[in-house]
Amino acid sequence: MRTTTRSARLARTVASGAAATLLLLAASAPASAGSAPGGDRPGGDRHGGDRHGSGGHGVSSHRVPVLEGRATLSADFLAEGPPSGADASPANGRQGPWDGQVIPGFSAMVDNGDGTFWAQPDNGFGTQANSADFLLRNYLVRPDWDTGTSGGSGDIEILDHIDYDDANGVLDFPIVNEDTDERLLTGADFDIESVVRAKDGTFWVGEEFGPFVLHFDASGTLLDAPVPLPGGLKSPQSPYLADGETPGVRASSGFEAMSASPNGRYLYPVIENTLVGETDERRRVIYELDTRTGEYTDRTWSYQTDLPGNLVGDSFTVGKDRFWFVERDNWDGEASVIKRVYEVNLRRTDDEGFVSKELVLDALGVANPRGIGAGTGYGLGETYSLPVQSFETVLRLRDGRILIGNDNNYPGNDARNPGEPDDTELALIDLRRERVRDDGVTVVGHRGASGYRPEHTIAAYEQAILQCADYIEPDVVATKDGVLVARHENEIGGTTNVADRPEFAERRTTKVIDGRSVTGWFTEDFTLAELRTLRAVERLGELRPGSAAFDGLYQVPTLDEVLDLARRSRTCDGQAVGVYPETKHPTYFDSIGLSLEEPLVAELEANGLDSRRDPVILQSFEIGNLRELDAMTDVRLVQLVSASGAPYDLVAAGEDTTYADLVTRRGLRDISRYADGLGAAKDVLIPRDADGTLGEPTSVIRDAHRAGLEVHGWTFRAENTFLPAEYRSSGDPAEHGDLAGEVEAFLDAGMDGYFTDQPDAATAG
């Protein structure tokens, strides 16, 4: 009997038993993009033969992030010093002032190479206004790693600290401790976020209020005047912002990240967020500062985040012109989507001028075979994740392992245990090379992992990747200004909160889509900028209340953002994540002057996903649409068929060909002349008997294979209401049944792959 569990898929490894355990868990670090997963079939007529690369049963090698140690410092720990937090916002049962100095996590760290680290918090309690009693410091710490085997305590020991000060009177603007001899600096003076230790032992610190680069001696005394951004760019908190002057940097969006060239001469501070007035919401700027002159050079680089609101949280030098960047969103806990480390190469840029970025690790999916910290909070189990809002520390240690950590924004963040402030946390991660054998089954995250997050959101796609999907599926529609976005339908009343927006009430209308009258709001009546103001909601709220809990959080993504996420991610087999776009209502969109084909192909080309070996499959329920794409691109194509009805482009042309005609032997041979696969409704492959149980398989799979077509079935869902009777767990329509059992029956009938709303449940059994 074929086994399709996630563990079985990945445990068919050529590695050791221990390695096999690791491979059950989430995402890998960089690996070269191979051919798409999925078994080969004899080549059909299209393009003279097979288009499926090296096939689905080969052995591949990739790196798996594995948790090797964890250490924490209690959120409520107080270091010596005067009381702090008098003006901090109360949260999670804590209210200041506290009788000592709070340590609100670490925003940056330096490895001393002897098991100790310099660990620098930020400005304290989140704003300039509430942090005047928080002293800016750099702490000397030693983690006693809990490794799950050696008996380490798992505590972070505070050994010493230095206070940052302006004892030499370098600053020419007032500070909180202006009239004291020590002139200790506070969180109302600077928001320090990044740190680099020079070879002479001094510290270069990036901060956000200026934003400035600050230079302190080894004892913490400011040596020189703050170095401001070139071009006169200032933040709203800058002490040099003149009355009426427009800030060029967003509030608290300065140098969260900064690293140095290997020889220490140049610093590379990174603007955390989009500059004011920037038209590209995903662009972040990397600067170069010459430490010999104390001035910026004229060189800058552009970095593109995965999503508009993402932030660059830290940077670490790994080679000449090569850095690791932390990229994070602002969500925490289950809502987290992007908590990643990317390798950036300043010498390599794409066609749009952005520096290259390649995944090192996804901090939401780290193998935890030793069960370190398991059961003590969200994200601590067989898979370790760091689902904190402020993932702001990454180091590569001298032994090659990776250290990551958080700024816990005390007392507000409670990602691990709601109602309890997050501890300061450090994790030690190794990237272990493992080999796996792909089982040849193509798993497609249908609209993402849409059983767990609102469909067609980056959150749903990320969940599908973490759950070992080989492909993610964006349905593609167009906005008024011709931008392709991911929505199941162009009518968005049921998948966004547009109905709650009174300014868009007049755009509710009725249209005829594919011969059917539809009332609601439509993407083609909104510009992308307007669509960006909406938020996704769960379409099946009564069946999926867990997913509905995330209503109102996530934007509608562009196709470009979905493609970027896929090509910068890795499957559990170490391959590039595939994309499986469906063109929705192409005849209708042609009729209103918003053709889908040309911009779709252009997006694929811009993302380097336009060859026959790239992990891309385009699909459509229409025929003319696919024939047109066949002439425009070399990527694979799949003809979708339903259990009833007909392709609408043929209906509109007055032809009488139905989907039933397409799955005859002759029809399948015709499909093979322009497509590579068949995407069939489940009932086309195995119909249900009168009692709701599965009947006997039809000949469609066999005939499709004979025509040289792969067969992917849709849509496999875990809720009882969607399952055949023998796989239901109860009479509750929302309760999950035996989805893996249903999938198994179809795979036994010869199906090559499938679309599923719950990739984890579909492969569990």
Side-chain angles (χ1 to χ4, degrees):
M1 180 176 180
R2 175 184 290 163
T3 304
T4 60
T5 65
R6 182 186 195 193
S7 56
R9 290 181 63 215
L10 294 176
R12 293 177 187 175
T13 175
V14 195
S16 66
T21 302
L22 303 178
L23 291 168
L24 311 188
L25 303 166
S28 73
S32 59
S35 57
D40 289 348
R41 291 291 170 189
D45 292 335
R46 185 178 185 239
H47 299 285
D50 170 54
R51 288 165 49 81
H52 299 286
S54 60
H57 299 280
V59 175
S60 63
S61 176
H62 68 118
R63 292 190 182 276
V64 177
V66 179
L67 183 67
E68 293 206 333
R70 179 173 179 262
T72 61
L73 178 71
S74 170
D76 297 318
F77 178 87
L78 294 175
E80 63 179 0
S84 61
D87 298 319
S89 300
N92 292 314
R94 274 71 168 176
Q95 183 169 6
W98 295 281
D99 191 19
Q101 288 290 299
V102 169
I103 298 182
F106 300 134
S107 287
M109 295 178 66
V110 173
D111 181 12
N112 293 322
D114 59 0
T116 69
F117 302 84
W118 285 106
Q120 177 181 283
D122 61 11
N123 82 311
F125 304 106
T127 72
Q128 198 169 24
N130 68 8
S131 300
D133 58 6
F134 182 84
L135 298 179
L136 301 186
R137 288 176 168 179
N138 204 340
Y139 287 92
L140 183 65
V141 305
R142 177 186 288 116
D144 183 18
W145 300 107
D146 174 8
T147 64
T149 58
S150 65
S153 67
D155 295 330
I156 299 173
E157 183 182 3
I158 305 298
L159 303 175
D160 200 356
H161 73 269
I162 59 173
D163 290 298
Y164 289 133
D165 65 67
D166 182 37
N168 293 339
V170 170
L171 298 176
D172 60 359
F173 56 83
I175 60 174
V176 170
N177 293 316
E178 176 76 15
D179 298 324
T180 67
D181 292 335
E182 293 179 302
R183 291 175 59 85
L184 297 178
L185 297 172
T186 74
D189 304 319
F190 295 108
D191 184 2
I192 57 174
E193 297 285 0
S194 48
V195 63
V196 171
R197 185 173 57 182
K199 293 181 179 180
D200 62 4
T202 62
F203 294 98
W204 291 91
V205 172
E207 76 89 51
E208 296 199 311
F209 288 163
F212 300 121
V213 174
L214 308 171
H215 192 197
F216 296 95
D217 68 17
S219 66
T221 297
L222 190 62
L223 293 172
D224 307 297
V227 183
L229 260 179
L233 295 176
K234 307 180 185 71
S235 86
Q237 299 114 316
S238 171
Y240 300 126
L241 188 72
D243 291 342
E245 182 180 0
T246 301
V249 178
R250 299 175 188 271
S252 296
S253 295
F255 297 140
E256 189 83 43
M258 184 174 70
S259 47
S261 59
N263 64 7
R265 175 170 178 178
Y266 296 102
L267 299 175
Y268 295 92
V270 187
I271 291 293
E272 178 184 31
N273 208 333
T274 314
L275 289 172
V276 174
E278 172 66 63
T279 57
D280 186 345
E281 296 178 292
R282 298 168 64 194
R283 178 175 177 261
R284 309 291 180 261
V285 182
I286 306 167
Y287 293 88
E288 183 179 65
L289 177 66
D290 188 338
T291 61
R292 293 183 184 177
T293 65
E295 297 179 351
Y296 285 93
T297 72
D298 59 1
R299 299 204 302 170
T300 62
W301 295 264
S302 297
Y303 173 87
Q304 186 181 51
T305 57
D306 294 335
L307 293 174
N310 284 4
L311 307 172
V312 179
D314 197 18
S315 175
F316 183 82
T317 305
V318 294
K320 180 175 172 54
D321 297 323
R322 292 169 43 239
F323 309 95
W324 283 353
F325 279 13
V326 168
E327 182 176 331
R328 67 172 181 87
D329 56 25
N330 251 329
W331 307 117
D332 63 5
E334 290 184 292
S336 296
V337 180
I338 301 295
K339 310 292 182 185
R340 295 185 167 197
V341 177
Y342 285 112
E343 182 165 324
V344 173
N345 192 328
L346 301 187
R347 290 173 289 177
R348 295 172 52 195
T349 57
D350 61 21
D351 291 341
E352 297 178 283
F354 293 105
V355 294
S356 71
K357 54 187 286 192
E358 188 172 15
L359 184 67
V360 176
L361 70 87
D362 186 337
L364 297 180
V366 177
N368 187 14
R370 300 175 190 166
I372 299 170
T376 59
Y378 176 77
L380 297 170
E382 288 185 341
T383 299
Y384 170 86
S385 70
L386 188 67
V388 295
Q389 178 187 20
S390 297
F391 169 23
E392 292 186 359
T393 296
V394 64
L395 300 174
R396 185 173 70 182
L397 306 185
R398 298 183 186 186
D399 62 9
R401 291 183 295 179
I402 302 168
L403 182 150
I404 61 175
N406 71 319
D407 168 2
N408 67 19
N409 296 309
Y410 185 84
N413 287 165
D414 56 356
R416 293 289 189 204
N417 295 286
E420 287 294 319
D422 287 330
D423 292 335
T424 300
E425 180 171 345
L426 302 177
L428 190 62
I429 296 170
D430 189 24
L431 297 179
R432 298 185 188 173
R433 182 165 292 281
E434 308 292 354
R435 294 191 294 168
V436 294
R437 186 183 300 277
D438 182 14
D439 65 3
V441 177
T442 300
V443 180
V444 184
H446 181 243
R447 311 174 196 173
S450 52
Y452 303 106
R453 300 292 186 274
E455 65 187 30
H456 292 308
T457 60
I458 296 296
Y461 297 131
E462 165 73 356
Q463 281 295 307
I465 293 167
L466 291 173
Q467 292 177 15
C468 293
D470 299 306
Y471 284 77
I472 53 177
E473 185 219 19
D475 293 336
V476 176
V477 296
T479 65
K480 183 177 183 178
D481 44 351
V483 180
L484 299 185
V485 296
R487 288 289 88 190
H488 176 52
E489 295 288 344
N490 53 328
E491 198 289 303
I492 55 174
T495 59
T496 72
N497 62 353
V498 65
D500 299 328
R501 299 290 295 276
E503 67 269 36
F504 296 133
E506 293 183 356
R507 298 197 198 179
R508 189 172 188 268
T509 187
T510 299
K511 300 187 180 188
V512 177
I513 311 294
D514 292 0
R516 185 171 62 93
S517 182
V518 180
T519 299
W521 292 263
F522 298 85
T523 59
E524 63 268 27
D525 296 330
F526 290 78
T527 65
L528 177 62
E530 291 172 328
L531 201 63
R532 288 290 203 191
T533 68
L534 304 179
R535 294 296 181 268
V537 299
E538 171 55 49
R539 184 174 56 89
L540 303 173
E542 291 187 6
L543 283 177
R544 295 171 174 174
S547 177
F550 300 95
D551 284 358
L553 296 185
Y554 307 120
Q555 289 182 314
V556 174
T558 65
L559 175 62
D560 181 55
E561 290 164 358
V562 180
L563 296 177
D564 282 345
L565 178 73
R567 67 189 177 91
R568 292 165 179 164
S569 301
R570 289 292 178 267
T571 69
C572 295
D573 296 326
Q575 302 298 309
V577 171
V579 284
Y580 210 133
E582 178 188 344
T583 54
K584 301 295 292 190
H585 311 300
T587 294
Y588 168 77
F589 275 105
D590 278 344
S591 74
I592 61 172
L594 288 171
S595 177
L596 301 177
E597 293 80 15
E598 293 82 4
L600 173 56
V601 171
E603 288 282 16
L604 293 176
E605 291 176 347
N607 283 276
L609 296 171
D610 54 352
S611 80
R612 58 183 284 168
R613 291 189 177 275
D614 287 323
V616 178
I617 302 173
L618 303 182
Q619 56 176 329
S620 178
F621 280 100
E622 297 190 10
I623 293 176
N625 171 237
L626 287 176
R627 290 186 182 276
E628 186 176 351
L629 287 167
D630 183 30
M632 298 172 66
T633 179
D634 286 334
V635 302
R636 288 171 291 160
L637 307 178
V638 161
Q639 176 68 62
L640 296 174
V641 297
S642 185
S644 62
Y648 183 73
D649 58 326
L650 300 187
V651 173
E655 299 185 29
D656 58 4
T657 301
T658 66
Y659 287 125
D661 296 325
L662 293 185
V663 295
T664 63
R665 291 182 181 179
R666 179 176 178 177
L668 292 167
R669 287 195 299 269
D670 288 342
I671 289 173
S672 71
R673 294 186 174 93
Y674 62 84
D676 305 275
L678 179 74
K682 293 188 297 184
D683 287 353
V684 171
L685 306 179
I686 306 180
R688 296 190 189 185
D689 290 336
D691 63 357
T693 61
L694 287 180
E696 291 298 316
T698 68
S699 65
V700 170
I701 295 175
R702 180 194 64 204
D703 294 340
H705 287 167
R706 287 175 176 172
L709 299 171
E710 283 203 1
V711 179
H712 296 167
W714 56 269
T715 300
F716 291 85
R717 296 176 166 118
E719 292 86 2
N720 284 324
T721 191
F722 300 116
L723 290 168
E726 66 267 44
Y727 296 106
R728 295 171 191 161
S729 59
S730 72
D732 181 352
E735 186 176 274
H736 284 200
D738 183 10
L739 175 59
E742 183 196 19
V743 169
E744 188 73 15
F746 280 79
L747 292 174
D748 285 344
M751 181 180 69
D752 303 295
Y754 55 92
F755 295 78
T756 177
D757 291 4
Q758 293 103 347
D760 61 339
T763 56

